[in-house]
Amino acid sequence: MTVAVAMASWTSGLHSTSTSWTLKSSEPRFVNGVFTKTSIAFHTKCFCLHQAGRWSSSNMKSIPRASSATAVEDGSNGDTDTIPTPIVIIDQDSDQDATVVEITFGDRLGALLDTMNALKNLGLNVVKANVFLDSSGKHNRFSITKADTGRKVDDPELLEAIRLTIINNLIQYHPESSAQLAMGAAFGVMPPQQQVDVDIATHINIQDDGPDRSLLYVETADRPGLLVDLVKSITDINVAVESGEFDTEGLLAKAKFHVSYRGKALIKPLQQVISNSLRYFLRRPTTEEASF
């Protein structure tokens, strides 16, 4: 079963050097609006991604979705008046061997078996899962590796496919969540009341993280394909993206990337270049204060 998501077809070229990607024929990826099979072997902590083309809302992309007919994925129906903020975290930092995913939607989520099955349809293994509670609700956390290699996911296209698959299933089994998600404007039952392109500001902050790398924080309005587009915008100016975290918090997307230039932290002029480039690309109202 698939769900149509407004995303653009695009093509990417990956060149082979000692610190680049290698293409093989097994990993699902987006090409011309369709999942195809390629595998990307990651040799160092640098994305080295080169892309031609842009996302366009005129094209639709199919994301695998769970095929269960149940209305709610073993969780609460969400009949309470207050709808919690959905949170999806893609964490590349906390585990060197796996991509860690965390999903929170108040206390409304169940075991997420259908979501995990949908992720397996992307050629992934869920190697471990656990649940913990705190004041913000129930957190479902699980670790993901690629089924063919047993390693963590490094391809930004596949990371974005993971994120969209989770959000698609969240909207399917908890339709009330669509009013809290930017994706709800495209295919949710209840679109958000805020105008995502108008009411949400973009915040960018860069700081040193030792002599060899910097931390880049970006907060902006969420949309399909954003993770890949951010990586592409950064690597287009020859800045290496090593690892990071990408959080979807309701209408917001919050990204944290470890970046470097020729193996060193970014100097101030280059920080300004990245900041200006991202602000222009994202084209959102900006303010001085970030929410990090």
Side-chain angles (χ1 to χ4, degrees), residues 91-96 98 100 152:
D91 181 5
Q92 293 287 80
D93 284 337
S94 61
D95 190 328
Q96 64 178 0
V100 178
K152 71 190 301 179

Side-chain angles (χ1 to χ4, degrees), residues 127-199:
V127 293
K128 59 182 177 181
N130 60 75
V131 177
F132 66 93
L133 298 171
D134 63 15
S135 59
S136 63
K138 181 168 66 173
H139 301 254
N140 296 67
R141 179 181 293 172
F142 40 94
S143 300
I144 296 173
T145 60
K146 294 188 288 187
D148 58 342
T149 65
R151 297 181 178 179
K152 71 190 301 179
V153 180
D154 293 303
D155 177 9
E157 292 182 58
L158 187 52
L159 290 171
E160 180 69 347
I162 291 170
R163 187 176 77 97
L164 294 180
T165 298
I166 292 170
I167 292 174
N168 289 339
N169 277 267
L170 183 60
I171 291 177
Q172 177 189 13
Y173 293 104
H174 297 274
E176 73 277 11
S177 68
S178 67
Q180 305 286 339
L181 289 163
M183 307 298 179
F187 53 87
V189 177
M190 301 167 56
Q193 294 183 352
Q194 285 182 283
Q195 298 183 57
V196 176
D197 288 341
V198 176
D199 297 336

Side-chain angles (χ1 to χ4, degrees), residues 36-176:
T36 62
K37 289 283 187 177
T38 55
S39 172
I40 298 182
F42 192 63
H43 298 299
T44 71
K45 290 184 175 181
C46 171
F47 278 113
C48 300
L49 178 68
H50 300 276
Q51 172 189 358
R54 286 194 177 276
W55 298 100
S56 168
S57 60
S58 62
N59 292 290
M60 303 296 289
K61 185 161 299 296
S62 294
I63 303 293
R65 174 188 274 179
S67 58
S68 171
T70 56
V72 177
E73 195 173 4
D74 297 325
S76 166
N77 285 324
D79 292 332
T80 57
D81 292 335
T82 303
I83 300 176
T85 299
I87 299 175
V88 178
I89 297 173
I90 309 291
D91 181 5
Q92 293 287 80
D93 284 337
S94 61
D95 190 328
Q96 64 178 0
D97 298 318
T99 298
V100 178
V101 174
E102 184 177 314
I103 309 171
T104 307
F105 188 44
D107 60 355
R108 303 186 180 205
L109 297 181
L112 298 180
L113 296 179
D114 288 273
T115 294
M116 286 189 278
N117 285 333
L119 293 174
K120 290 178 182 178
N121 291 337
L122 294 176
L124 303 168
N125 286 332
V126 180
V127 293
K128 59 182 177 181
N130 60 75
V131 177
F132 66 93
L133 298 171
D134 63 15
S135 59
S136 63
K138 181 168 66 173
H139 301 254
N140 296 67
R141 179 181 293 172
F142 40 94
S143 300
I144 296 173
T145 60
K146 294 188 288 187
D148 58 342
T149 65
R151 297 181 178 179
K152 71 190 301 179
V153 180
D154 293 303
D155 177 9
E157 292 182 58
L158 187 52
L159 290 171
E160 180 69 347
I162 291 170
R163 187 176 77 97
L164 294 180
T165 298
I166 292 170
I167 292 174
N168 289 339
N169 277 267
L170 183 60
I171 291 177
Q172 177 189 13
Y173 293 104
H174 297 274
E176 73 277 11

Side-chain angles (χ1 to χ4, degrees), residues 1 5 14 30 37 40-41 62 87 99 109-110 114 125 197 202-203 215-216 219 224 229 259 263 270 280 284:
M1 181 174 178
V5 180
L14 298 167
F30 300 136
K37 289 283 187 177
I40 298 182
S62 294
I87 299 175
T99 298
L109 297 181
D114 288 273
N125 286 332
D197 288 341
T202 292
H203 308 284
L215 273 175
L216 166 63
E219 177 185 298
D229 284 347
V259 296
L270 187 53
Y280 176 79
R284 299 282 188 267

Side-chain angles (χ1 to χ4, degrees), residues 204 233-234 237 272-282:
I204 300 169
S233 296
I234 297 167
I237 51 180
Q272 190 62 50
V273 169
I274 290 181
S275 180
N276 291 342
S277 175
L278 289 175
R279 282 196 172 95
Y280 176 79
F281 173 75
L282 294 167

